[in-house]
Amino acid sequence: MPKKSSSTPKRIRVDFEPLGRRVDNDLGDNLLTAAQAAGVQLVSLCGGIGSCDNCRVRLISGELSPPTSEEQDALGTEDLARGYRLACQAIPLSNVKIDIPPESLTAPQRLQIEGLETLIEPDPVVTSFDMQLTPPTLDDLRSDVSRVKQALDDLGIACPVIGLPVLEDLSDILRSQNWTARLVLRGDEVIVGLPLECGLLGLAVDIGTTKLAAYLVDLQNGNTLAKTGRMNPQISYGEDVVSRIAYTINNEGGRKLLQAKLVEAINDMLAELRNQTETEPEQVVEAVVVGNTAMHHLFAGLPVRQLGEAPYVPAVADPMDIPASQIGLMLAPGAYVHLPPNIAGYVGADHVAMLLATDMWDSARTVLALDIGTNTEISLATGGRLLSCSCASGPAFEGAHIHDGMRAAPGAIERVQIFGEEVRVHTVGSQPAVGICGSGILDAIAEMVAAGVLDSRGKLQKDHSLVDEDDGVVEFLIMPAKATGHEHNIIVTQKDVGEIQLAKGAIRAGIEILLEEAGLAHDEIEEFIVAGAFGTYLDIRSAVRVGMFPALPVDRFRQVGNAAGTGARQMLISAERRQATAEIVRRVEYIELTTHPNFTNEFIKAMTF
Amino acid sequence: MPKKSSSTPKRIRVDFEPLGRRVDNDLGDNLLTAAQAAGVQLVSLCGGIGSCDNCRVRLISGELSPPTSEEQDALGTEDLARGYRLACQAIPLSNVKIDIPPESLTAPQRLQIEGLETLIEPDPVVTSFDMQLTPPTLDDLRSDVSRVKQALDDLGIACPVIGLPVLEDLSDILRSQNWTARLVLRGDEVIVGLPLECGLLGLAVDIGTTKLAAYLVDLQNGNTLAKTGRMNPQISYGEDVVSRIAYTINNEGGRKLLQAKLVEAINDMLAELRNQTETEPEQVVEAVVVGNTAMHHLFAGLPVRQLGEAPYVPAVADPMDIPASQIGLMLAPGAYVHLPPNIAGYVGADHVAMLLATDMWDSARTVLALDIGTNTEISLATGGRLLSCSCASGPAFEGAHIHDGMRAAPGAIERVQIFGEEVRVHTVGSQPAVGICGSGILDAIAEMVAAGVLDSRGKLQKDHSLVDEDDGVVEFLIMPAKATGHEHNIIVTQKDVGEIQLAKGAIRAGIEILLEEAGLAHDEIEEFIVAGAFGTYLDIRSAVRVGMFPALPVDRFRQVGNAAGTGARQMLISAERRQATAEIVRRVEYIELTTHPNFTNEFIKAMTF
């Protein structure tokens, strides 16, 4: 029997993406066992004997045991070559990162697609004309395009542009529709020929670093017909913006790959939306896509290297209209994708969309609005001024760098209350607890402060905490292994507390600097808008108790959900709303925090409880 | 031993493309033997034992014996899967069509790239500006694009457009060139950022149904720096326009495939031209591509189905400027390809380019110009009028449908003289005779008429002709097998004579109809321009003797070579020349021959000798 090398680790770390759940496992355990131990609920119809392919997962990095004959049969050469494996068969030989396709999870991820519904008068950028053309004869040999142009000219539309992607099919469409067509124009450009009276649709997309949201909109009445969400597939190549930029620098073709993954996911979402509404790709004649500056650049295929180096400038800040066909988005052949302007390298078009949707940029009141993520963008509107900044709040609220952290997937603890010695929790989907997500850790810390488990500097107090018998390290027990149903305690460590202190400190410092620049006191904030996924689920009282937000009356806070998505939908149906973004960007005073003289002081002050 | 099926043919036909040489072979002979018997000179370093891969060929259609182990070794799985075989190993099991890659032929094909050199004042559609930008700092966070636009604005160039393909690299280029750049603009659009003082180049391409010609031009002084030619790779999918249109209708994705093959060949030619001149793809900032209407449409990716059905209208007749990146042409990222206008479904942009290059369209004299091919386009300029038509002259002059016909490749008989019983020939490249090409068959027929071998109706006269002993069919012997060095006689059959009668009759009828429409007699043609590949090599006297051309004094004829290529080069360096094509197209009176009341009469008359 071969002796194991002494350098072989006894425990192996498995990172399950896109859940963001990391667990340490015994050497020799397969991925299904590891997932079950961690509470990650993979589909496994055959009970783990390799005779179904329901527990398909994909290796992102690290080393697994060679494929078994069961895997050969179930997956085939091509899928194996693409990294697919059966979780019940594959055994990690090193620390590994594993991607779980949505169909292999028993419960779907919670996605953030709800947002404000603001009534906007439709004023779309496309127009359409139903027309009957005269077919060619031996006495009338004009080309198909001349025929179309003449017919439009007869309507008073002179010399329109018809791009190559439209021309590729137009001749066949005209003939198959017996020389009738609803011609759709965008400015002076023909973008598609549809059947007469066919409805016109638009697609709005919010590209988050973690999550995607997509909306299919009726361009004639502005109604949202269907919406869906998905994890950003780029997570497999880097959790945050910085690591994805690094990926594109270190991997040739990495930028193209990240773009392709994103476009593929958006095409998938669009196909789902079209299935729900029984509509055709050609009907989708316009799109608006928002995201932070890095997502914006990766989606459009722009360089991102300079976003990773001081002074962090965007390649493009102006609004763009790019042909959907140029990036592979499956819309009408001549459709465009509108990308609203970016403000700075770390304040992107999604923040602009949020400022637009909340109308705060144009408010007569003093309003502060923020969208919390790995990067938190904050804007303050007051007396006609609009100040914006961005702070590196880190991935702690996404569940990363937290001992038992995970994203807000089923089984994530999202609410925590401490009653004396008792800790009560609530999980996403009321599933058995798997780990703890952003709003849960925020609650936990707030409750720990209130219960005296943490002192004002954030130090865990020995008398309240669980002391690990092995290493003497102090940890706070949220839920013991016996209550979770799997083999791990769910705990909050001293390091976890530190991560949250950095995150909330950065956000609060950003708020303070903006107030200072505007010469305002906390109490002068008349409205405090919290947007975005994490912002929807966090408990405002906890955020105030840990000092992340100033202590305003609770009724001044407004949680608006995915306001960026709402802004994107407004721009989709209204040319006037697009023009408003130019005014927003013109008005913004961008405050660079990294070089601001008071930032470090405010940051240190804001780290305490 | 298995008995051969009685339905197995004893002789198998092998069609060697792109030479257009067809031979019948004994069952069991391999492709190398078949090629040698036909005089097709394949490279074979190892002497036909399968130990080198020099005789690589590719199966287009039909069935070959299974690959041998020598082929497995020499070619590998991937090449075998793509249809590559060793000619010395593969044995035809049915009639087959074989593609010979250029590197497998000992002598290169003769290509038509020479043409008129007309001096034109350069007046290019692109301009360039050498500039030094200020790099971004924490105090100047403008985006890269805002920085470029501001710098151009300082030069008085307001708000230029910068397309996605340019943006993909611009940020990295600016940084790698230390914030200097030669910015190249086309109208208000930035198409590339080059190093300071870098030279600007253009590409002119003539897409013939059979042959391609490409020219690399210095846009600043208008000089042609390098030129090259190649066979049109679409030949493998159909010899003529009609069969290629059929291919796109009968094969899903066929249009995309034909486009991809063409673009690939043009990219290959461009790479060769750039190697010769040691230049970079980014320097090639503009292209002009001409071709007949079908080639124009297949190159641009436009539908061609309607070109194959009455009334044969183009999808697009207007001039087009299409982004090179949209069709995969490897020019500067934002470069455009200019496609001049088409006149009709069978009178394309190449004819317009020829009319432009010869200046005949604007001549004060009466000039007739034609370009002979499978389709022959003819124009007549007289007294400010410009009449054009197209006639289906068939592929006989390309060597197709002729018993021993072939293209003008090495070994093709291109000149024939009859002295009593003696027949003297000259071959392309003075190689041993393989077959007979267009100018050779025209000479042969003219000489046969003069020698009384053919009567005025084109019937072969028994007393002058070789009578085949087996079947009693009358044929005229050009060269006996013993003189060719391979096993075939080279002959002219009664059917060959008929094919030439159809071809020359159609061309002459077209000429007659145009003269009739203009009310002119033959002798009033002051200049008779013959353009194109076949037109360069044909003997004008033979063309007159067979009645294809009217009997004008020889000094009124002018053979101008590839005038379409010359016209393309003129349009490449001059915006004024592009505008002239609009005037040409506006002035053309297109005469549809198929419905012209006198065409049939003229055609029948013109078939006689």
Side-chain angles (χ1 to χ4, degrees), chain A residues 144-145 164 168 255 314-315 326, chain B residues 144-145 164 168 255 311 314-315 326:
Chain A
D144 296 343
V145 162
L164 210 45
E168 281 177 12
R255 212 170 90 202
Q326 230 171 61
Chain B
D144 296 344
V145 162
L164 210 46
E168 281 178 10
R255 214 170 88 201
Q326 229 171 61

Side-chain angles (χ1 to χ4, degrees), chain A residues 564-588:
Chain A
T566 303
R569 280 181 284 166
Q570 291 184 356
M571 287 182 268
L572 188 57
I573 58 171
S574 163
E576 180 276 321
R577 292 266 91 185
R578 295 188 191 186
Q579 282 149 19
T581 63
E583 178 57 20
I584 293 177
V585 169
R586 201 191 58 70
R587 203 183 287 181
V588 162

Side-chain angles (χ1 to χ4, degrees), chain A residues 138 141 143-145 149 164-165 167-168 171 175 255-256 300-303 306 311 313-318 320 326 595, chain B residues 138 141 143-145 149 164 167-168 171 175 255-256 300-303 306 311 313-318 320 326 595:
Chain A
L138 281 168
L141 290 168
S143 72
D144 296 343
V145 162
K149 287 189 177 178
L164 210 45
L167 293 173
E168 281 177 12
S171 295
R175 284 171 179 77
R255 212 170 90 202
K256 287 270 170 216
L302 300 175
Q306 80 290 344
V313 294
V316 181
D318 291 345
M320 296 173 78
Q326 230 171 61
T595 53
Chain B
L138 280 169
L141 290 168
S143 73
D144 296 344
V145 162
K149 288 189 176 176
L164 210 46
L167 292 173
E168 281 178 10
S171 294
R175 283 170 180 77
R255 214 170 88 201
K256 287 269 170 217
L302 299 175
Q306 79 291 344
V313 295
V316 181
D318 292 345
M320 297 174 78
Q326 229 171 61
T595 53

